Amino acid sequence: MTADKRRYVVAAIRAALVLTGAVVTVAVLYSFSTMSTASPSDNGFVRGLSYLFGSVFFILALGGAGLGLALPSLLGAEDALAFDRWQRRCLQGAGGLFVGGFVIGLVVGLLTELQFGLFLWLVAIVVAVLVVSCVLIWRLFEVFVTALVRLIAAETGE
């Protein structure tokens, strides 16, 4: 596979993961916000169950979007967002949490009970999404500071 083809495939997979994660996240949040209130005669079981499954879909969707952002770092491909070495390491760690959390969760679930493994995997996804979010904020702050320094340099004539 040529380098251009590989870059195109990675970009397509990345776009699909991020777009799907964002759409599902927005859909789950919209369904939560438009969910009707429980009637006084209802014990709230169905509503609680829908919140439980909706929360799992929400976490998985955010995890998919986070994995899409970390994918080039995991594969060692060039990244259009120009992450530096330490940011790429953090993204690789987040990718390790996505994949390793699944493997460890599966092993724990098979050895104990499946819901414990699922819970462990969901916690790993949440931590990985937090790492990806922090790296994105870090990169956005770098871009902001660089633009600010260029603006100040242009105004002072340096």
Side-chain angles (χ1 to χ4, degrees), residues 18-83:
V18 171
L19 186 63
T20 303
V23 167
V24 171
T25 299
V26 169
V28 168
L29 290 176
Y30 177 75
S31 69
F32 280 167
S33 68
T34 59
M35 194 180 301
S36 62
T37 58
S39 65
S41 64
D42 188 20
N43 65 0
F45 176 76
V46 174
R47 185 176 173 89
L49 200 59
S50 63
Y51 276 126
L52 175 70
F53 283 107
S55 298
V56 169
F57 284 132
F58 179 77
I59 291 171
L60 290 175
L62 281 179
L67 184 60
L69 289 170
L71 189 65
S73 296
L74 289 173
L75 299 176
E78 291 183 26
D79 194 358
L81 298 176
F83 292 116

Side-chain angles (χ1 to χ4, degrees), residues 75-155:
L75 299 176
E78 291 183 26
D79 194 358
L81 298 176
F83 292 116
D84 68 8
R85 188 176 128 220
W86 291 107
Q87 291 165 343
R88 289 175 68 86
R89 292 279 184 210
C90 289
L91 289 174
Q92 289 169 352
L97 281 170
F98 287 122
V99 177
F102 175 74
V103 171
I104 291 172
L106 185 63
V107 169
V108 167
L110 291 174
L111 293 177
T112 60
E113 292 186 26
L114 193 57
Q115 67 266 24
F116 296 141
L118 178 65
F119 179 73
L120 185 64
W121 183 42
L122 292 176
V123 168
I125 288 175
V126 169
V127 172
V129 167
L130 287 173
V131 169
V132 170
S133 300
C134 288
V135 169
L136 285 176
I137 291 169
W138 180 6
R139 180 68 185 127
L140 285 173
F141 184 72
E142 283 180 348
V143 169
F144 174 74
V145 168
T146 303
L148 189 62
V149 167
R150 285 183 184 163
L151 179 68
I152 291 172
E155 286 191 9

